Amino acid sequence: TGGERRAIVLDIDETSLSNWPYLAANDVGRIMHGPCDLPEGPCGWVPWAEMAAAAPIDPTLEVARLAQARGMALFLITGRPESQRRATERNLRAAGYPAWAGLYMEPDGAVFASAADFKAPKRRDIVAQGYTIVLKMGDQLRDLEGGWINASIYRVQVHGKNQVTVQFDHPGRHGAIIAKKYWDQGKPCP
Protein backbone atom coordinates (compact mmCIF):
# COMPACT_ATOMS: atom_id res chain seq x y z
CA THR A 1 0.00 0.00 0.00
CA GLY A 2 1.18 3.52 -0.51
CA GLY A 3 1.86 6.16 2.05
CA GLU A 4 1.14 9.79 2.70
CA ARG A 5 4.03 11.00 0.55
CA ARG A 6 3.29 11.39 -3.16
CA ALA A 7 5.69 10.58 -5.97
CA ILE A 8 5.94 10.57 -9.73
CA VAL A 9 7.97 8.00 -11.64
CA LEU A 10 9.50 8.80 -15.02
CA ASP A 11 11.31 6.74 -17.61
CA ILE A 12 14.36 8.53 -19.02
CA ASP A 13 14.99 7.76 -22.70
CA GLU A 14 12.36 9.22 -25.05
CA THR A 15 10.29 10.25 -22.01
CA SER A 16 12.48 12.61 -19.96
CA LEU A 17 15.37 12.99 -22.40
CA SER A 18 15.33 12.98 -26.18
CA ASN A 19 17.99 10.96 -27.96
CA TRP A 20 16.90 12.33 -31.34
CA PRO A 21 20.45 13.10 -32.61
CA TYR A 22 21.48 9.51 -31.82
CA LEU A 23 18.32 8.08 -33.38
CA ALA A 24 18.55 10.26 -36.50
CA ALA A 25 22.22 9.35 -37.03
CA ASN A 26 21.27 5.66 -36.94
CA ASP A 27 18.13 5.91 -39.08
CA VAL A 28 16.14 5.20 -35.88
CA GLY A 29 18.13 2.01 -35.31
CA ARG A 30 19.97 1.09 -32.13
CA ILE A 31 23.74 0.64 -32.34
CA MET A 32 25.33 -0.14 -28.99
CA HIS A 33 29.08 0.11 -29.56
CA GLY A 34 31.43 1.96 -31.83
CA PRO A 35 32.14 5.65 -32.24
CA CYS A 36 29.49 8.35 -32.29
CA ASP A 37 29.82 10.35 -35.49
CA LEU A 38 27.18 13.07 -35.40
CA PRO A 39 25.26 14.12 -37.31
CA GLU A 40 26.02 11.68 -40.14
CA GLY A 41 26.28 8.48 -38.11
CA PRO A 42 26.67 5.84 -37.19
CA CYS A 43 26.55 6.65 -33.49
CA GLY A 44 27.10 4.03 -30.81
CA TRP A 45 24.87 4.22 -27.73
CA VAL A 46 27.73 3.97 -25.23
CA PRO A 47 29.61 7.05 -26.48
CA TRP A 48 26.32 8.91 -27.02
CA ALA A 49 25.25 8.31 -23.42
CA GLU A 50 28.68 9.35 -22.15
CA MET A 51 28.34 12.65 -24.04
CA ALA A 52 25.37 13.49 -21.75
CA ALA A 53 23.95 15.57 -24.60
CA ALA A 54 20.34 14.37 -24.73
CA ALA A 55 17.94 17.32 -24.61
CA PRO A 56 15.03 17.46 -22.20
CA ILE A 57 11.57 16.61 -23.43
CA ASP A 58 10.01 19.87 -22.35
CA PRO A 59 6.48 18.69 -21.43
CA THR A 60 7.96 15.98 -19.19
CA LEU A 61 10.36 18.48 -17.63
CA GLU A 62 7.40 20.77 -16.90
CA VAL A 63 5.53 17.90 -15.23
CA ALA A 64 8.59 17.08 -13.08
CA ARG A 65 9.00 20.70 -12.00
CA LEU A 66 5.30 21.11 -11.26
CA ALA A 67 5.21 17.89 -9.24
CA GLN A 68 8.19 18.96 -7.18
CA ALA A 69 6.68 22.42 -6.63
CA ARG A 70 3.61 20.63 -5.24
CA GLY A 71 5.73 18.61 -2.83
CA MET A 72 5.98 15.38 -4.78
CA ALA A 73 9.12 13.28 -4.99
CA LEU A 74 10.65 12.49 -8.38
CA PHE A 75 11.89 8.98 -9.11
CA LEU A 76 13.46 7.87 -12.39
CA ILE A 77 13.62 4.25 -13.53
CA THR A 78 15.63 3.47 -16.65
CA GLY A 79 16.92 0.54 -18.65
CA ARG A 80 20.30 2.28 -18.85
CA PRO A 81 23.06 0.27 -17.16
CA GLU A 82 24.55 1.29 -13.82
CA SER A 83 27.91 1.95 -15.54
CA GLN A 84 26.28 5.00 -17.18
CA ARG A 85 25.08 6.53 -13.87
CA ARG A 86 27.49 9.50 -13.77
CA ALA A 87 26.80 10.48 -17.37
CA THR A 88 23.05 10.01 -16.89
CA GLU A 89 22.99 12.15 -13.75
CA ARG A 90 25.10 14.81 -15.49
CA ASN A 91 22.70 14.79 -18.45
CA LEU A 92 19.59 15.04 -16.25
CA ARG A 93 21.06 17.98 -14.30
CA ALA A 94 22.16 19.76 -17.50
CA ALA A 95 18.67 19.25 -18.94
CA GLY A 96 17.20 21.02 -15.91
CA TYR A 97 15.54 18.16 -14.05
CA PRO A 98 14.93 18.96 -10.40
CA ALA A 99 16.55 16.93 -7.63
CA TRP A 100 15.32 13.36 -7.65
CA ALA A 101 14.62 11.11 -4.70
CA GLY A 102 15.84 8.04 -6.56
CA LEU A 103 17.40 6.98 -9.84
CA TYR A 104 17.10 3.26 -10.53
CA MET A 105 19.34 1.81 -13.25
CA GLU A 106 19.73 -1.76 -14.45
CA PRO A 107 22.69 -3.67 -13.05
CA ASP A 108 25.51 -3.99 -15.56
CA GLY A 109 25.08 -7.14 -17.64
CA ALA A 110 21.53 -7.78 -16.44
CA VAL A 111 19.07 -9.23 -18.93
CA PHE A 112 15.33 -8.90 -18.39
CA ALA A 113 12.63 -10.43 -20.58
CA SER A 114 10.75 -7.11 -20.43
CA ALA A 115 11.31 -3.64 -19.03
CA ALA A 116 8.41 -4.41 -16.68
CA ASP A 117 10.47 -7.18 -15.07
CA PHE A 118 12.97 -4.57 -13.87
CA LYS A 119 10.74 -1.52 -13.44
CA ALA A 120 7.71 -2.97 -11.62
CA PRO A 121 9.79 -4.21 -8.64
CA LYS A 122 11.44 -0.79 -8.40
CA ARG A 123 8.02 0.85 -8.22
CA ARG A 124 7.11 -1.60 -5.44
CA ASP A 125 10.28 -0.47 -3.63
CA ILE A 126 9.14 3.16 -3.93
CA VAL A 127 5.73 2.28 -2.47
CA ALA A 128 7.46 0.31 0.33
CA GLN A 129 9.33 3.52 1.22
CA GLY A 130 5.96 5.09 2.04
CA TYR A 131 5.15 6.82 -1.24
CA THR A 132 1.96 6.74 -3.25
CA ILE A 133 2.80 6.84 -6.94
CA VAL A 134 0.40 9.35 -8.46
CA LEU A 135 1.94 9.38 -11.94
CA LYS A 136 4.22 7.25 -14.04
CA MET A 137 5.29 8.19 -17.54
CA GLY A 138 7.07 6.18 -20.20
CA ASP A 139 7.33 5.94 -23.96
CA GLN A 140 6.60 2.20 -24.09
CA LEU A 141 3.80 0.29 -22.45
CA ARG A 142 6.47 -1.99 -20.93
CA ASP A 143 7.63 1.07 -18.95
CA LEU A 144 4.22 1.16 -17.31
CA GLU A 145 3.23 -2.48 -16.93
CA GLY A 146 3.60 -4.54 -13.82
CA GLY A 147 0.56 -3.80 -11.71
CA TRP A 148 1.74 -0.73 -9.86
CA ILE A 149 -0.74 1.88 -10.99
CA ASN A 150 -1.75 4.09 -8.09
CA ALA A 151 -3.48 6.89 -9.91
CA SER A 152 -2.66 7.13 -13.59
CA ILE A 153 -0.74 6.01 -16.64
CA TYR A 154 0.51 8.39 -19.29
CA ARG A 155 2.21 7.35 -22.49
CA VAL A 156 4.64 9.72 -24.17
CA GLN A 157 5.57 9.19 -27.80
CA VAL A 158 8.34 11.07 -29.57
CA HIS A 159 7.42 12.12 -33.11
CA GLY A 160 10.46 14.26 -33.87
CA LYS A 161 13.08 16.53 -32.40
CA ASN A 162 10.53 19.00 -31.01
CA GLN A 163 7.28 17.05 -31.07
CA VAL A 164 5.77 14.62 -28.58
CA THR A 165 2.29 13.51 -27.64
CA VAL A 166 1.13 12.67 -24.13
CA GLN A 167 -1.81 10.28 -24.07
CA PHE A 168 -3.87 9.93 -20.90
CA ASP A 169 -7.47 9.90 -21.99
CA HIS A 170 -8.04 6.16 -22.34
CA PRO A 171 -11.52 5.32 -21.05
CA GLY A 172 -11.27 2.94 -18.14
CA ARG A 173 -7.75 3.94 -17.16
CA HIS A 174 -7.06 5.68 -13.91
CA GLY A 175 -6.15 9.09 -15.32
CA ALA A 176 -9.32 9.30 -17.41
CA ILE A 177 -11.50 7.95 -14.58
CA ILE A 178 -10.16 10.49 -12.10
CA ALA A 179 -10.43 13.38 -14.57
CA LYS A 180 -14.00 12.39 -15.50
CA LYS A 181 -15.08 12.43 -11.84
CA TYR A 182 -13.92 16.04 -11.52
CA TRP A 183 -15.33 17.11 -14.87
CA ASP A 184 -18.72 15.49 -14.14
CA GLN A 185 -18.88 17.74 -11.06
CA GLY A 186 -18.00 20.79 -13.15
CA LYS A 187 -14.61 21.07 -11.43
CA PRO A 188 -11.14 21.31 -12.99
CA CYS A 189 -9.00 18.23 -12.55
CA PRO A 190 -5.87 19.01 -10.47
Side-chain angles (χ1 to χ4, degrees):
T1 66
E4 293 293 321
R5 301 183 294 174
R6 295 175 301 159
I8 66 168
V9 177
L10 306 178
D11 172 51
I12 293 180
D13 296 306
E14 291 14 279
T15 300
S16 299
L17 297 175
S18 171
N19 297 295
W20 188 251
Y22 163 82
L23 294 168
N26 295 321
D27 197 25
V28 195
R30 185 158 170 94
I31 298 172
M32 289 304 295
H33 301 284
C36 182
D37 184 20
L38 293 176
E40 297 83 21
C43 178
W45 172 259
V46 173
W48 164 254
E50 290 299 320
M51 291 168 68
I57 294 182
D58 291 332
T60 307
L61 179 57
E62 286 182 44
V63 167
R65 289 176 172 165
L66 178 63
Q68 191 166 62
R70 293 191 177 194
M72 296 179 212
L74 169 61
F75 288 88
L76 298 124
I77 305 176
T78 181
R80 289 182 179 205
E82 185 64 41
S83 59
Q84 294 176 356
R85 177 174 291 277
R86 285 198 327 239
T88 300
E89 290 177 343
R90 189 171 68 246
N91 200 160
L92 289 164
R93 282 191 297 273
Y97 278 89
W100 47 87
L103 170 58
Y104 297 94
M105 303 181 77
E106 287 188 5
D108 290 330
V111 177
F112 295 93
S114 165
D117 294 336
F118 171 70
K119 294 182 177 192
K122 298 306 177 194
R123 289 191 296 271
R124 283 193 292 274
D125 290 348
I126 293 166
V127 171
Q129 293 174 46
Y131 289 96
T132 296
I133 298 171
V134 297
L135 169 79
K136 57 184 179 176
M137 289 176 66
D139 64 305
Q140 302 175 49
L141 293 178
R142 292 182 306 264
D143 291 329
L144 311 171
E145 293 171 344
W148 286 88
I149 306 167
N150 290 56
S152 52
I153 288 181
Y154 299 86
R155 182 170 187 254
V156 178
Q157 186 169 1
V158 176
H159 295 282
K161 180 180 177 184
N162 297 312
Q163 184 180 9
V164 298
T165 57
V166 179
Q167 184 177 12
F168 94 110
D169 59 347
H170 293 287
R173 292 205 179 153
H174 292 96
I177 291 168
I178 292 167
K180 186 175 181 329
K181 286 181 181 180
Y182 280 91
W183 296 333
D184 286 350
Q185 297 173 30
K187 297 178 183 177
C189 182

